[in-house]
DNA sequence: TCCATCGAGTTGATGTATCAACTTCAGAGT
DNA sequence: ACTCTGAAGTTGATACATCAACTCGATGGA
């Protein structure tokens, strides 16, 4: 409802932001892939598991944490399993744990420095401390709104 | 080189921004898909063509404008061609024009309102005018840097 | 007890993105 | 005139994302 068209300023803001977002994503992806053979999805999963107690987490918790849907996580874990980065373990009667392997942990550790350097080069080091805070605050606003009204279940 | 690790604040800023960016992208994608059967890639191509004189543009110019590599554009145009949204036309001896079809234009026009509304709901309307400007300015800084040093040809 | 439903997980199909290898033609330099 | 190089495009292989449909066991009324 409300009003329709975007103003010129709003349109430019959106297009700039959207293109930045796309390019940043692909660039980070490329660095990770070239530097360690990981996709950013792989990296996310490994990072989350490495921070969890015993390097293990329920599949659906992983999904929550990453903001993914279940089937994406499933396929992801399957692919990572084939490469020896994680294993799946039955957990209770229904429920599956994803567990990081030694190889997964080693791969992650090897990937971190290059990734961090890229994040600095493409993001953190370009901004002043104030800008970084501003940006993060606004990103947080947008993210909260996204998480608040999911598309699926909205009573 | 410079320094290595990210501070806690930097790390949180990055993760928030990155997750926001991913979620925003998928949400916009879903709205477009549900509302009009277009992907955001489709939408980008149609929007660019519709703004070009005669609704036509060289394939590589499209690639430049969208920030894509040639093979991505090629596959995209092939898929869109199969659906009747665009056609390809030989242009000179080497070189191909992508041309929007009547159906493509109609589909775009039908898609715009819902898309605009979603962009408002998830982005523009959440921010004050100042915040929108700040965000766009910072996004521009990051985007300029991304476009300035391409990964392929650096010197 | 029965059956209805729901959450977690699985599967397959389809669309999309990325990479590397290849074609082809134009213009530059010799 | 001849080759070299590079730009624009094409192709196929592979990985990734998304959706719909399904399984299976738990929970909870009736």
């Amino acid at each position: 409802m409300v009003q329709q068209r975007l103003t010129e300023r709003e349109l430019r803001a959106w297009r700039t932001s959207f293109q930045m977002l796309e390019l940043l994503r692909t660039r980070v992806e490329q660095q990770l892939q070239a530097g360690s053979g990981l996709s950013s999805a792989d990296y996310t999963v490994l990072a989350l598991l490495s921070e969890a107690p015993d390097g293990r987490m329920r599949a659906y918790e992983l999904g929550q944490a990453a903001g993914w849907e279940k089937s994406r996580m499933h396929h992801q874990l399957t692919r990572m399993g084939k490469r020896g980065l994680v294993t799946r373990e039955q957990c209770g009667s229904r429920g599956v744990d994803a567990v990081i392997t030694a190889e997964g942990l080693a791969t992650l550790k090897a990937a971190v420095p290059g990734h961090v350097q890229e994040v600095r080069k493409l993001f953190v080091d370009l901004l002043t401390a104030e800008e970084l805070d501003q940006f993060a605050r606004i990103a947080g606003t947008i993210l909260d709104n996204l998480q608040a009204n999911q598309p699926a279940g909205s009573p």
Side-chain angles (χ1 to χ4, degrees), chain A:
Chain A
M1 314 313 159
V2 203
Q3 64 176 353
Q4 201 55 270
R5 283 184 51 77
L6 295 171
T7 66
E8 187 56 32
R9 153 178 271 165
E10 288 168 339
L11 183 61
R12 277 193 296 101
W14 166 248
R15 288 199 175 176
T16 301
S17 303
F18 193 72
Q19 196 175 356
M20 177 277 280
L21 158 174
E22 292 264 278
L23 239 184
L24 182 57
R25 201 183 57 80
T26 56
R27 209 60 75 78
V28 167
E29 189 79 39
Q30 286 170 339
Q31 185 285 320
L32 269 175
Q33 197 62 246
S36 61
L38 297 175
S39 67
S40 65
D42 297 333
Y43 189 93
T44 299
V45 170
L46 292 178
L48 286 171
L49 285 180
S50 76
E51 292 164 7
D54 295 322
R56 78 168 50 221
M57 210 186 277
R58 285 287 296 272
Y60 94 101
E61 286 180 41
L62 263 178
Q64 294 296 106
W68 298 357
E69 47 187 350
K70 54 190 182 174
S71 83
R72 178 176 178 184
M73 185 55 76
H74 180 83
H75 289 306
Q76 182 68 36
L77 291 176
T78 301
R79 287 191 297 266
M80 293 177 77
K82 277 183 192 160
R83 291 188 284 150
L85 300 173
V86 299
T87 57
R88 260 191 264 248
E89 289 181 14
Q90 197 67 22
C91 166
S93 49
R94 78 227 176 282
V96 174
D97 270 8
V99 188
I100 193 170
T101 63
E103 186 183 348
L105 196 55
T107 306
L108 175 63
K109 284 189 173 157
V112 167
H115 177 63
V116 166
Q117 188 181 332
E118 192 77 355
V119 170
R120 284 205 165 281
K121 199 170 96 187
L122 301 183
F123 183 65
V124 174
D125 286 351
L126 297 177
L127 309 178
T128 66
E130 293 79 36
E131 287 176 325
L132 190 65
D133 284 349
Q134 280 176 10
F135 193 85
R137 193 180 51 73
I138 296 174
T141 300
I142 298 170
L143 182 57
D144 288 347
N145 177 263
L146 287 167
Q147 290 172 335
N149 48 341
Q150 311 282 33
S154 39

